[in-house]
Amino acid sequence: MATTVKSSDLDFQALKNSLKNYLKSDTQFADYDFDASGLNNILDVLAYNTHINGLTANFALNESFLNTAQLRSSVVSHAETLGYEVRSKTSAKALLNLSVNLAGVAGRPAQIQLTKGWQFNTSVDGVSYTFRTLENYFAKDNGSGVYNFLTNTGSADIPVYEGEERTKTFISGETTERQVFVIPDADIDTKTASVLVYDTVSSSQFIQYTPLSEASTIDADTTVYTIRETPNGFYELNFGDGISFGKKPDAGNKVVVTYLSTKADAANLADTFTAASDITVNSVNYTVNAVTSAESTGGAQKQTIESVRQLAPIAFASQQRMVTSADYKAIILSNFTDVSDVAVWSGDQNVPIDYGKVYISLNYPTGTAASLKTATEANIVTNFTDTLGVISIDTKFVEPLDVYLELGISFDFDPSLTGFTLATTENSIYNYVGQYFTRNLDTFNKIFRRSNLLTEIDALDPAILSSKCDVKVQMRIEPTVGVDNTETLSFPMKIAAPDDAVAVVESSIFTFQNAVCQIKNKLESTTLQIVDVDGVVRLDNVGEYNANSGEVKIIGFNPQAFIGGNSYIKISVTPLNESVVKPLRNYILRLDRSRSSTTAVIDRQQTALRVT
């Protein structure tokens, strides 16, 4: 009986052997030498052809599904079938307070205008960038000749965006044909696009089309457009069909697309801006003064493949409605590049319970200005939660809560198994732990598991024989000096029960009653005391902790001064279970490097025994 040829095998040599065995099993080829040059070459060709066909079929099958696709064009295409809009590059945005001083100018106007496209120059790491306004802004005389430009909501924070303004013009063909309008620019920020449709090439009358995502209802006369990423990295402008899915430009219409071509995240963190040109009033030029309210942030590269793979199914499930926590997260992360992560929970999951609310905590990149955070939250409420959320559910924003881990790592070390010194290995592990937190924690809904960290540490070097880790959890308070303070800290886990030898709760040092002191719990008690470095109790009751709820309450705390240059005091506790720290809601686990350590213990293994 002939042997089956496994043509689905992707290994070339295995395919060749399978073909060889198949032919050998046939009596007609019983005496053939399959390693001879002629037959061997024929088998090579057959195996190669089968190998290529197998690879092609495997790749094609993988690219047919969102979860397995590797090519960006395939992932983007699958996301589009789910109705998900893949984010293009995004321009960095800064907030500026803009003003013009016309004090002493005779005949000055009551109002002046800063036109759309006004440019401002800046630099980041020695590289120059140009930012610009995307709409007109007006300023009125304050009575002293100072004109402060305001947004239409009355805010003095004027947004400016990085990028070069570009225009692409198309002439619409016959309506019976499928129109393809390709914007040959991979650096476009699609959110800044403006689409105008003119009746003719020479006409000055136009209709402004709006993005499909902003349309509430769509019929044959709705003027909407979409911009999608094409396989070659450029973008394609599309309109409705003119029947049921939006108005289609008529034959001979001129389509003008204006947008920003951006450098994306390269222009982030710019903090000094200068107007590129003066403003003219009564034929005289005056300087536009720019004061930075928020440095530039939010510039981002195209949405990554993994981000699309994760968010597209969630967005499809939400159907452009904000009902579940996953809906909120997907829509916010898709539309706000200023936000690095989101935590969402309902009022019934909050502590204390607060029905009729949805709580949102936004994690921003380090250094994000408070004014930009406020603007982002207002934008989320106005354009998303109020319009897409459930009626009668109010949105409440809360700040992320940083919870720090203090890790005391020790490991057995055999120097004969490595070329590295003890000190070098200690420092290497210390730095690795910091990198571990950056990779695996430092954001919402990430769990610290001690065993996972120790497994990675043990694998770093053969000389690391074993390791262990003591864990403490820390939160911080910022009491006011000179007054009685009441502080309540809710740790995200249960705290260990009082011990008769060591304190479970312990603070960093501060000055109290002219002495260097700490807060500690009384041994075998949950009562908190203020104790000086000599062990003398200065205040026998300054609060207590609840082991089951994880709550530490400090009452009547009045420090004289902080020590160490900080404006806060660290409160550290020993968790009931040091193996796992699982944060909830808006908690973020971080590493306190200053209170973490790595210590080696020399362990020279005896590899041979000699009987004397």
Side-chain angles (χ1 to χ4, degrees):
M1 179 178 288
T3 302
T4 301
V5 178
K6 297 180 180 179
S7 59
S8 60
D9 198 325
L10 298 182
D11 182 73
F12 175 83
Q13 194 60 46
L15 282 169
K16 184 176 179 180
N17 291 337
S18 182
L19 288 168
K20 188 185 297 185
N21 293 333
Y22 173 76
L23 293 176
K24 283 182 177 180
S25 65
D26 194 319
T27 56
Q28 298 182 57
F29 303 101
D31 298 326
Y32 278 70
D33 181 4
F34 291 98
D35 293 323
S37 60
L39 284 174
N40 191 55
N41 289 339
I42 292 174
L43 288 175
D44 281 342
V45 172
L46 291 173
Y48 177 77
N49 183 66
T50 307
H51 174 69
I52 293 299
N53 287 337
L55 286 175
T56 302
N58 185 270
F59 290 154
L61 187 62
N62 284 341
E63 295 303 311
S64 299
F65 300 94
L66 179 62
N67 287 340
T68 55
Q70 300 299 310
L71 298 176
R72 180 177 180 86
S73 58
S74 300
V75 174
V76 170
S77 178
H78 290 309
E80 288 176 352
T81 63
L82 297 177
Y84 183 75
E85 182 179 352
V86 179
R87 194 189 69 240
S88 67
K89 286 187 176 181
T90 305
S91 300
K93 180 179 73 171
L95 300 179
L96 306 180
N97 295 155
L98 305 176
S99 64
V100 176
N101 192 341
L102 301 182
V105 176
R108 60 179 183 256
Q111 179 176 275
I112 58 176
Q113 179 182 6
L114 193 73
T115 56
K116 174 184 177 181
W118 206 276
Q119 298 181 18
F120 297 85
N121 297 325
T122 187
S123 64
V124 178
D125 296 331
V127 180
S128 298
Y129 299 95
T130 300
F131 285 65
R132 67 188 68 231
T133 58
L134 296 185
E135 57 184 275
N136 298 326
Y137 294 99
F138 297 89
K140 294 182 179 180
D141 188 348
N142 69 349
S144 301
V146 177
Y147 294 74
N148 294 300
F149 291 95
L150 303 175
T151 66
N152 54 12
T153 61
S155 173
D157 294 330
I158 305 297
V160 292
Y161 299 83
E162 181 276 327
E164 177 186 349
E165 187 174 80
R166 294 183 179 177
T167 300
K168 183 69 176 175
T169 302
F170 307 94
I171 303 300
S172 180
E174 294 297 330
T175 56
T176 56
E177 300 175 357
R178 182 183 182 274
Q179 300 293 302
V180 179
F181 305 111
V182 177
I183 304 171
D185 190 343
D187 297 326
I188 180 178
D189 179 356
T190 58
K191 295 294 184 183
T192 66
S194 172
V195 178
L196 306 180
V197 177
Y198 295 80
D199 291 338
T200 63
V201 174
S202 58
S203 174
S204 60
Q205 301 295 320
F206 63 83
I207 297 175
Q208 182 162 6
Y209 279 57
T210 58
L212 177 63
S213 58
E214 297 180 8
S216 55
T217 58
I218 300 176
D219 55 29
D221 296 320
T222 305
T223 52
V224 294
Y225 70 87
T226 60
I227 298 180
R228 59 179 294 270
E229 184 178 339
T230 60
N232 63 0
F234 292 155
Y235 287 82
E236 180 181 295
L237 175 66
N238 291 284
F239 297 95
D241 57 8
I243 300 174
S244 60
F245 190 65
K247 181 177 176 59
K248 187 176 185 179
D250 296 327
N253 283 174
K254 181 175 69 171
V255 179
V256 179
V257 184
T258 304
Y259 63 90
L260 293 185
S261 182
T262 178
K263 299 295 193 301
D265 53 346
N268 286 340
L269 305 181
D271 58 5
T272 303
F273 295 82
T274 304
S277 58
D278 296 334
I279 194 168
T280 302
V281 179
N282 297 338
S283 301
V284 179
N285 293 336
Y286 296 93
T287 301
V288 177
N289 302 305
V291 177
T292 304
S293 174
E295 65 182 15
S296 61
T297 58
Q301 297 293 331
K302 290 181 179 180
Q303 190 173 1
T304 64
I305 290 177
E306 290 307 314
S307 175
V308 175
R309 202 193 312 275
Q310 176 187 19
L311 295 178
I314 300 175
F316 174 74
S318 71
Q319 294 293 300
Q320 201 63 2
R321 291 291 180 267
M322 302 176 81
V323 179
T324 69
S325 59
D327 298 343
Y328 280 80
K329 183 173 183 177
I331 289 177
I332 291 174
L333 289 179
S334 298
N335 289 277
F336 296 92
T337 56
D338 295 326
V339 179
S340 56
D341 198 13
V342 183
V344 183
W345 64 98
S346 59
D348 64 305
Q349 298 174 329
N350 192 61
V351 178
I353 292 175
D354 189 12
Y355 294 112
K357 299 283 196 311
V358 58
Y359 283 80
I360 301 176
S361 188
L362 306 176
N363 190 19
Y364 295 90
T366 303
T368 302
S371 56
L372 186 57
K373 294 180 181 180
T374 301
T376 300
E377 291 173 3
N379 194 348
I380 290 173
V381 172
T382 302
N383 297 317
F384 294 94
T385 61
D386 279 357
T387 56
L388 305 180
V390 177
I391 296 176
S392 78
I393 299 296
D394 295 328
T395 304
K396 189 170 183 178
F397 291 94
V398 294
E399 290 291 323
L401 285 177
D402 290 331
V403 178
Y404 297 86
L405 299 188
E406 303 172 7
L407 305 183
I409 299 171
S410 61
F411 60 96
D412 292 338
F413 179 73
D414 187 346
S416 65
L417 299 178
T418 183
F420 296 107
T421 65
L422 181 148
T424 299
T425 305
E426 285 181 338
N427 187 61
S428 176
I429 293 177
Y430 180 81
N431 291 331
Y432 185 84
V433 172
Q435 296 167 7
Y436 178 88
F437 269 73
T438 301
R439 292 194 315 270
N440 301 293
L441 300 163
D442 285 349
T443 190
F444 295 120
N445 300 318
K446 297 297 184 179
I447 301 172
F448 172 77
R449 299 187 186 277
R450 182 170 58 181
S451 60
N452 292 350
L453 174 60
L454 294 180
T455 298
E456 293 193 22
I457 290 175
D458 290 344
L460 290 177
D461 195 303
I464 301 173
L465 306 177
S466 61
S467 58
K468 65 179 183 178
C469 178
D470 295 324
V471 179
K472 286 197 170 185
V473 182
Q474 172 206 125
M475 295 183 73
R476 299 173 179 180
I477 60 174
E478 297 183 13
T480 302
V481 174
V483 300
D484 290 342
N485 296 268
T486 297
E487 304 280 353
T488 301
L489 298 175
S490 296
F491 284 82
M493 76 288 155
K494 293 182 178 181
I495 302 174
D499 189 78
D500 60 356
V502 296
V504 174
V505 179
E506 188 174 21
S507 77
S508 57
I509 57 177
F510 53 89
T511 302
F512 180 76
Q513 293 181 356
N514 300 318
V516 177
C517 298
Q518 289 178 285
I519 296 176
K520 292 184 177 182
N521 70 292
K522 183 180 179 181
L523 297 181
E524 298 185 292
S525 172
T526 60
T527 301
L528 304 181
Q529 300 176 320
I530 296 181
V531 183
D532 65 23
V533 292
D534 296 322
V536 178
V537 177
R538 297 284 180 151
L539 186 62
D540 63 358
N541 190 344
V542 72
E544 62 179 352
Y545 80 91
N546 188 314
N548 288 327
S549 67
E551 185 176 274
V552 176
K553 192 167 186 178
I554 301 172
I555 303 172
F557 179 46
N558 189 349
Q560 285 179 308
F562 303 116
I563 297 177
N566 297 320
S567 60
Y568 54 80
I569 294 175
K570 302 176 180 180
I571 306 295
S572 304
V573 304
T574 303
L576 177 63
N577 182 4
E578 296 186 40
S579 299
V580 179
V581 180
K582 183 178 181 180
L584 301 173
R585 298 181 296 275
N586 57 324
Y587 290 95
I588 297 178
L589 295 183
R590 304 190 187 278
L591 177 68
D592 187 342
R593 296 176 68 96
S594 66
R595 301 189 74 169
S596 296
S597 62
T598 54
T599 305
V601 177
I602 296 295
D603 183 0
R604 299 183 185 276
Q605 299 182 97
Q606 188 174 357
T607 58
L609 294 176
R610 183 179 63 180
V611 178
T612 59

